[in-house]
């Protein structure tokens, strides 16, 4: 998010001075690191939580379409940056990887069939395929079908135009360009406080983590793109807009294999239904990952618990966030989500063998010795006040900005990095209302369909997706 915002601002106002602070020795070592996330180019092609069944009501594709629209803006922006030479060869950060959904049992098969019938009418989902035929699904993803129980109801959808994204490589390339263009990046520097000055600027106090040398800088605008720590810094800023917010940290692990025989049999990201009580971010999926040009497979995520807001955070994070204004909403979230607590406990009790057993619901032939556990990133799920419910747990991303637009921060998780471009465009509009109208021509140059809805124009949707596929080398 920070790299995206910095790049947008630099393209729009190259004369503005930008300074970025990073606590660690390198950027993209938390949630953007390729092994700390699933690398899914979230476009709602396979993620069922963007289109849930609500009782007997007809399935509504609006959220799925919205997520897809947002990802198309990211694709267009990346395409423009490739053409401008800002980003390296597309294969260094994005690769074509079919997106699939696989379900078992009559109820879920009926749901997936219904979902397919609704989505195939949407221009942005053109090309989606559906099958209940084991022979067809075997061609799409052989590992799903080997030694499958005969007579078991199952179904799958497939969209060949899905993508796998290395957000770590993308972030590093964006920052490399920014620093080459005069932007200052201070690694190993931790922001300690944010204080509004009488002249409307912000006094940003920070220290070098090597030697703890303190320093400060004044800024007219501050963006807090610090993952889970964004809450702590926004609380420190004292802006009233952060009142009532808290975060619930959920860690994760993935099973990973680099066995070439296994990896060669699977090229897809295959998502399924979440377990009862599991948060949407814990939907199980078996994924192809391409990092540094090498393919591997990952399965998960498996939830873990740590009180830290970041992998490199503090054990006191979950306690030090508590304020009088957010204590009640957080307590209400705890009381109203017993299924989540039960789910977390059950996940924590799983050993390696039990986790491979979970994998076998996708891949019946999985062998314990082929798979190793890796720790993923920390996800800080938003808890906030709700006028009707008192407190709610929110599974998404949310920008919190001061009323004068002088400071803003990002809270939340999925779909996260996939939709960084539209989220940062919304932030620009909110925080720079005077400049934004003048930026629109340049934004249209960077994002050709800026201000338009692709799903409302089938011809435009096809033209745009074909253009970005060619620019990013993800033709299928």
């Amino acid at each position: 998010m920070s790299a995206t915002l910095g790049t947008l601002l630099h393209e729009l106002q190259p004369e503005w001075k930008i300074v970025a602070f990073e606590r660690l020795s390198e950027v993209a070592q938390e949630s953007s690191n390729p092994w700390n996330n699933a690398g899914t180019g979230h476009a709602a092609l396979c993620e069922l939580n963007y289109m849930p069944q609500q009782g007997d009501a007809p399935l509504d594709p609006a959220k799925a379409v919205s997520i897809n629209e947002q990802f198309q803006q990211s694709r267009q922006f990346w395409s423009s940056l490739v053409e401008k030479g800002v980003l390296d060869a597309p294969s260094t950060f994005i690769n074509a990887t079919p997106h699939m959904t696989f379900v078992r049992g009559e109820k879920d098969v009926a749901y997936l069939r219904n979902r397919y019938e609704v989505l195939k009418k949407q221009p942005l989902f053109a090309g989606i395929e559906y099958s209940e035929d084991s022979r067809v699904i075997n061609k799409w993803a052989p590992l799903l079908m080997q030694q499958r129980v005969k007579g078991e109801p199952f179904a799958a959808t497939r969209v060949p135009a899905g993508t796998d994204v290395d957000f770590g490589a993308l972030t590093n390339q964006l920052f490399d360009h920014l620093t080459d263009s005069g932007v200052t990046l201070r690694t190993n520097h931790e922001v300690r406080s944010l204080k509004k000055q009488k002249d409307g600027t912000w006094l940003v106090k920070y220290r070098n983590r090597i030697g703890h040398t303190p320093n400060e800088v004044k800024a007219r605008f501050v963006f807090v793109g610090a993952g889970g720590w964004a809450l702590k810094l926004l609380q420190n800023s004292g802006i009233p807009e952060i009142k009532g917010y808290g975060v619930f940290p959920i860690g994760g692990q993935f099973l990973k294999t680099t066995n070439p025989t296994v990896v060669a049999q699977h090229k897809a990201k295959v998502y399924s239904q979440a377990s009862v009580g599991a948060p949407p971010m814990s939907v199980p999926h078996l994924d192809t990952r391409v990092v540094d040009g090498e393919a591997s497979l990952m399965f998960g995520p498996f939830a873990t618990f740590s009180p830290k807001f970041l992998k490199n955070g503090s054990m006191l994070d979950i306690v030090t966030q508590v304020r009088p204004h957010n204590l009640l909403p957080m307590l209400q979230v705890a009381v109203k989500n017993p299924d989540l607590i039960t789910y977390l406990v059950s996940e924590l009790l799983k050993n390696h063998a039990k986790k491979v057993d979970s994998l076998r619901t996708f891949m019946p032939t999985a062998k314990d010795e082929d798979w190793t556990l890796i720790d993923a990133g920390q996800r800080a799920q938003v808890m906030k006040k709700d006028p009707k419910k008192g407190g709610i747990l929110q599974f998404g991303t949310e920008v919190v900005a001061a009323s004068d637009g002088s400071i803003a921060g990002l809270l939340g998780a999925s779909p996260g990095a996939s939709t960084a471009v539209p989220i940062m465009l919304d932030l620009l509009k909110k925080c720079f209302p005077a400049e934004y109208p003048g930026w629109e021509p340049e934004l249209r140059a960077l994002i050709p369909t800026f201000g338009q809805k692709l799903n409302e124009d089938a011809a435009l949707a096809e033209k745009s997706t074909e253009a970005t596929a060619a620019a990013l080398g993800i033709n299928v």
Side-chain angles (χ1 to χ4, degrees):
M1 292 288 177
S2 299
T4 299
L5 178 60
T7 303
L8 281 166
L9 284 171
H10 181 69
E11 292 292 320
L12 297 168
Q13 298 283 168
E15 74 281 8
W16 285 7
K17 184 178 180 180
I18 300 174
V19 181
F21 297 94
E22 168 58 56
R23 292 177 65 242
L24 304 181
S25 59
E26 299 177 57
V27 299
Q29 294 305 299
E30 285 285 348
S31 294
S32 297
N33 182 283
W35 301 118
N36 286 346
N37 60 70
T40 302
H42 283 282
L45 302 175
C46 57
E47 309 97 310
L48 301 181
N49 51 298
Y50 296 137
M51 197 170 163
Q53 181 71 59
Q54 303 286 358
D56 296 328
L59 285 177
D60 183 0
K63 181 66 179 295
V65 169
S66 173
I67 295 293
N68 199 312
E69 290 270 12
Q70 293 178 62
F71 185 61
Q72 299 308 322
Q73 286 194 329
S74 293
R75 279 178 49 150
Q76 290 180 43
F77 185 59
W78 300 337
S79 298
S80 294
L81 296 183
V82 168
E83 291 168 1
K84 290 164 74 77
V86 172
L87 293 174
D88 297 340
S91 61
T92 61
F93 67 89
I94 189 168
N95 287 275
T97 307
H99 283 194
M100 291 179 59
T101 306
F102 179 72
V103 298
R104 299 174 300 128
E106 293 181 1
K107 181 181 178 181
D108 285 344
V109 168
Y111 160 75
L112 190 64
R113 187 188 308 120
N114 189 11
R115 178 180 181 271
Y116 163 73
E117 292 296 333
V118 174
L119 286 180
K120 73 177 185 180
K121 302 171 186 175
Q122 308 298 322
L124 284 175
F125 291 82
I128 188 170
E129 304 168 80
Y130 174 85
S131 183
E132 298 175 25
D133 188 328
S134 61
R135 293 167 296 181
V136 173
I137 300 173
N138 184 65
K139 289 181 180 179
W140 292 348
L143 295 183
L144 301 181
M145 289 291 104
Q146 294 171 9
Q147 296 184 17
R148 183 66 60 186
V149 176
K150 189 174 182 180
E152 178 185 26
F154 49 75
T157 57
R158 179 177 182 265
V159 181
T163 53
D164 173 74
V165 185
D166 182 343
F167 291 109
L170 184 61
T171 302
N172 274 286
Q173 290 177 30
L174 291 176
F175 269 117
D176 285 346
H177 171 72
L178 287 172
T179 54
D180 288 345
S181 303
V183 169
T184 300
L185 170 62
R186 300 190 187 282
T187 56
N188 286 312
H189 281 72
E190 180 178 309
V191 173
R192 303 290 290 174
S193 75
L194 299 166
K195 188 174 182 180
K196 187 76 173 287
Q197 304 297 288
K198 290 181 179 180
D199 62 359
T201 62
W202 286 89
L203 183 65
V204 181
K205 292 187 176 183
Y206 61 94
R207 73 178 183 188
N208 191 326
R209 297 186 76 204
I210 302 173
H212 299 288
T213 305
N215 212 328
E216 60 187 37
V217 66
K218 276 191 174 183
R220 294 188 180 277
F221 171 74
V222 174
F223 174 65
V224 186
W229 269 33
L231 174 75
K232 300 172 71 169
L233 289 172
L234 289 171
Q235 286 179 334
N236 179 269
S237 75
I239 61 172
E241 289 79 6
I242 197 62
K243 288 185 177 180
Y245 280 89
V247 297
F248 183 77
I250 301 177
Q253 291 181 322
F254 284 97
L255 286 169
K256 175 187 173 184
T257 183
T258 55
N259 183 324
T261 303
V262 178
V263 173
Q265 296 181 71
H266 187 84
K267 186 178 180 182
K269 290 184 178 291
V270 185
Y271 278 57
S272 191
Q273 289 281 33
S275 304
V276 175
M281 61 167 287
S282 297
V283 169
H285 43 100
L286 178 61
D287 292 0
T288 294
R289 291 300 331 263
V290 180
V291 177
D292 296 330
E294 295 185 8
S296 59
L297 299 185
M298 286 170 54
F299 176 78
F302 300 97
T304 61
F305 178 75
S306 166
K308 297 179 180 181
F309 287 175
L310 297 171
K311 286 183 77 172
N312 294 279
S314 165
M315 295 296 285
L316 298 176
D317 284 346
I318 199 169
V319 176
T320 56
Q321 71 168 320
V322 177
R323 302 288 189 279
H325 56 71
N326 66 12
L327 178 58
L328 184 58
M330 290 194 293
L331 290 175
Q332 289 173 324
V333 166
V335 170
K336 295 175 181 178
N337 290 273
D339 288 348
L340 175 59
I341 304 303
T342 302
Y343 164 76
L344 287 174
V345 171
S346 67
E347 288 284 279
L348 291 171
L349 293 175
K350 287 182 179 178
N351 57 20
H352 180 272
K354 290 291 185 182
K355 289 174 180 177
V356 178
D357 283 344
S358 297
L359 167 60
R360 290 191 184 99
T361 63
F362 271 72
M363 178 187 168
T365 58
K367 297 178 181 179
D368 290 31
E369 60 268 24
D370 286 336
W371 297 83
T372 57
L373 275 171
I374 62 171
D375 290 322
Q378 285 288 100
R379 299 293 185 264
Q381 303 296 147
V382 175
M383 297 183 285
K384 66 178 185 177
K385 284 183 180 179
D386 181 82
K388 296 181 179 178
K389 299 179 181 179
I392 58 171
L393 188 63
Q394 179 171 299
F395 299 101
T397 46
E398 183 166 347
V399 171
V400 178
S403 59
D404 64 358
S406 64
I407 185 171
L410 187 87
L411 302 175
S414 183
S418 299
T419 55
V421 173
I423 289 173
M424 292 300 101
L425 289 176
D426 287 344
L427 182 146
L428 290 177
K429 189 174 184 179
K430 180 182 295 186
C431 295
F432 299 93
E435 293 86 354
Y436 193 80
W439 289 342
E440 290 185 352
E442 179 62 25
L443 290 174
R444 272 188 282 273
L446 292 167
I447 304 165
T449 66
F450 174 77
Q452 298 173 274
K453 294 291 186 183
L454 291 177
N455 205 58
E456 295 175 1
D457 187 333
L460 181 63
E462 182 179 10
K463 179 181 178 182
S464 175
T465 53
E466 287 182 353
T468 55
L472 297 173
I474 50 176
N475 290 296
V476 292

